[in-house]
Amino acid sequence: MKKLFVISLLFIVALFGCANAYGESEESAGSENNGVSFDSYETTEDLYELAKAEGEVVIYSATSAAEQVGVAFEEEYPGVKAVVTKVSDPEIYEKIQREHDSGVHNADIILGKGTNGSWSNDLLKNGYISEYKPEEIMKHIDEPYKSYEGLGFISEAITIIHNTDHHTEAPIDNWWDLTTEKWKSKVLLKDPLSAPDIQGVFMTMVKHADEMEKAYEEKFGEPLELNGTENAGYEFIKRLLDNDAILMSSMGDTVDAVAESGADHSVVAIASTVKLRDVVQKDAALGINPELQPKLSVPGTSRVFVTSNVENIAATKLFIRYMAGGEDGQGKGFAPFNNPGTFAVRNDIKQDTSLPPLSELNLWEEDEQYYYEHADEMHNFLLKMQ
């Protein structure tokens, strides 16, 4: 009997050990700490007390504004360190996979656009990251952002940026203008092969090729003739690049070149509206045309995920709430993101900008699944164009 009892105990220990090794018990351990879990609600004061015991929160962010949030967070909550690492979306993807597979759990939070659906389809579905969508924030987010995987945070748009000193009115009212002789060698953009967000816009144009075709006909008064391409979306990309578009290594450099260009050779950039912050921060003469046809662009929404097996749960929840503007949307944590061209997903955050709010912009819908399924096709097409 004693021998049988010992064997039974060993079997139970082995069983629980296996459960921990293969995820179930380990996941449970990572989802609750000192009574706080990602399913529970705590006041900010209670979270702060718990977070001080944890000591820190680690964030991988694709936007540098999160570094400013980290500094402000530490001032607001002494005793809780915010370690923010600025890395690109693709680098976050690789780091999370590599660290998870090695049993290393560095980051608690990741913030970014997700590289055309790879975060959702690869990291989320395979358990590398998880969703945390606190009700106190979600109740201030409208559709379609409410239904996004991850916590919708901010949006931007890749569109055409021009110099407002040289053009009192927007010089371009249709994407197809960029393919004309007038704009030959005057369109700057980051090399799309290394710019997933620009690829996302191009794939959206391919998806909505019927609208691109209609916009061509409205612009030039004649039917579009394809030149070896599948549809109007691909034809636009081909004609744009064939019009001696200038490919650069940095999106920031393209916008700086627009701001610094002379009146005798005014150029435009295909770049993120985020760079419109330079209008305020650097007094740069930059603008966009919200009436651009057939659409201004497609939103590029940055979202927040938590990594699997988070240990600093209270600090993680506290930082996310702070960065999102607090429970009432008035918190200082959102301030580094509150610039022209960066659009709050929350409907209760006031933004001082001359641009329409996100809900009123003329945008195509964001379709991460489509991007994920067609990314290789777009990449191969761009390779052929260069």
Side-chain angles (χ1 to χ4, degrees):
M1 286 293 293
K2 289 183 178 180
K3 185 174 183 181
L4 180 59
F5 179 71
V6 171
I7 291 174
S8 298
L9 283 177
L10 289 174
F11 176 77
I12 292 171
V13 170
L15 179 63
F16 277 94
C18 288
N20 189 59
Y22 290 99
E24 184 173 350
S25 294
E26 187 176 351
E27 183 177 338
S28 298
S31 63
E32 186 167 348
N33 185 25
N34 293 326
V36 61
S37 75
F38 286 117
D39 294 324
S40 63
Y41 171 82
E42 297 81 23
T43 66
T44 299
E45 292 74 17
D46 287 343
L47 279 178
Y48 178 36
E49 290 304 315
L50 292 165
K52 283 192 289 187
E54 295 170 348
E56 71 173 12
V57 57
V58 180
I59 305 98
Y60 291 165
S61 171
T63 170
S64 59
E67 296 174 323
Q68 300 173 49
V69 177
V71 173
F73 177 84
E74 291 182 355
E75 294 176 355
E76 184 80 11
Y77 300 106
V80 187
K81 188 175 182 180
V83 182
V84 183
T85 301
K86 167 71 168 63
V87 285
S88 68
D89 277 16
E91 288 173 323
I92 291 175
Y93 175 87
E94 294 174 2
K95 283 173 71 67
I96 292 298
Q97 278 197 325
R98 183 172 62 251
E99 291 171 3
H100 185 280
D101 292 344
S102 301
V104 176
H105 304 295
N106 282 333
D108 299 306
I109 299 168
I110 61 172
L111 168 63
K113 291 191 287 292
T115 319
N116 289 329
S118 63
W119 285 15
S120 293
N121 282 277
D122 297 337
L123 298 184
L124 181 62
K125 290 182 179 178
N126 291 309
Y128 292 94
I129 58 177
S130 301
E131 293 183 287
Y132 171 54
K133 304 171 85 169
E135 176 58 29
E136 65 268 22
I137 296 173
M138 291 300 297
K139 66 183 180 182
H140 299 294
I141 298 178
D142 299 324
E143 296 291 357
Y145 309 99
K146 194 180 189 75
S147 297
Y148 280 11
E149 290 180 321
L151 176 63
F153 183 59
I154 52 173
S155 267
E156 59 193 86
I158 301 294
T159 191
I160 302 168
I161 298 179
H162 63 268
N163 186 303
T164 55
D165 278 346
H166 306 156
H167 306 281
T168 55
E169 295 183 2
I172 293 171
D173 59 19
N174 189 308
W175 279 96
W176 287 99
D177 283 330
L178 301 183
T179 68
T180 64
E181 182 67 25
K182 177 180 179 180
W183 293 100
K184 187 178 181 68
S185 302
K186 293 182 179 180
V187 181
L188 315 178
L189 68 156
K190 182 178 179 180
D191 186 344
L193 280 171
S194 60
D197 39 9
I198 292 179
Q199 289 181 35
V201 176
F202 285 169
M203 283 188 280
T204 301
M205 291 177 171
V206 169
K207 180 183 177 183
H208 295 278
D210 56 338
E211 294 181 54
M212 292 296 293
E213 184 173 0
K214 182 179 178 181
Y216 178 92
E217 294 177 358
E218 291 177 350
K219 184 67 184 179
F220 300 112
E222 61 184 24
L224 172 66
E225 293 185 8
L226 302 180
N227 183 22
T229 58
E230 293 181 27
N231 59 44
Y234 281 119
E235 184 67 21
F236 167 79
I237 301 165
K238 181 179 188 302
R239 294 192 185 191
L240 169 69
L241 297 177
D242 285 347
N243 205 32
D244 291 340
I246 300 172
L247 306 185
M248 302 178 70
S249 60
S250 163
M251 195 174 294
D253 288 345
T254 67
V255 178
D256 290 344
V258 170
E260 296 166 5
S261 63
D264 57 339
H265 190 76
S266 185
V267 297
V268 297
I270 298 176
S272 171
T273 54
V274 166
K275 287 298 291 178
L276 294 179
R277 67 189 176 208
D278 289 354
V279 174
V280 174
Q281 297 178 0
K282 300 180 181 179
D283 196 28
L286 300 170
I288 65 171
N289 181 5
E291 304 303 319
L292 188 66
Q293 295 298 315
K295 299 285 187 182
L296 172 68
S297 186
V298 59
T301 305
S302 292
R303 289 164 295 161
V304 178
F305 292 91
V306 297
T307 59
S308 59
N309 307 313
V310 175
E311 295 181 356
N312 305 314
I313 299 176
T316 293
K317 295 175 70 172
L318 183 65
F319 186 88
I320 291 173
R321 183 182 292 177
Y322 179 76
M323 182 171 64
E327 293 195 58
D328 60 1
Q330 307 304 311
K332 295 183 294 183
F334 188 78
F337 301 97
N338 204 350
N339 295 300
T342 300
F343 303 94
V345 171
R346 286 182 65 155
N347 57 26
D348 61 338
I349 289 182
K350 295 181 179 180
Q351 295 195 264
D352 183 16
T353 173
S354 59
L355 296 174
L358 184 62
S359 60
E360 296 178 13
L361 290 175
N362 185 28
L363 300 168
W364 282 300
E365 78 283 357
E366 198 170 0
D367 191 344
E368 269 203 326
Q369 193 59 37
Y370 182 89
Y371 305 155
Y372 185 75
E373 293 171 358
H374 293 84
D376 287 344
E377 296 171 24
M378 178 55 63
H379 186 267
N380 292 336
F381 178 79
L382 292 171
L383 280 175
K384 292 178 183 178
M385 292 297 100
Q386 298 186 25

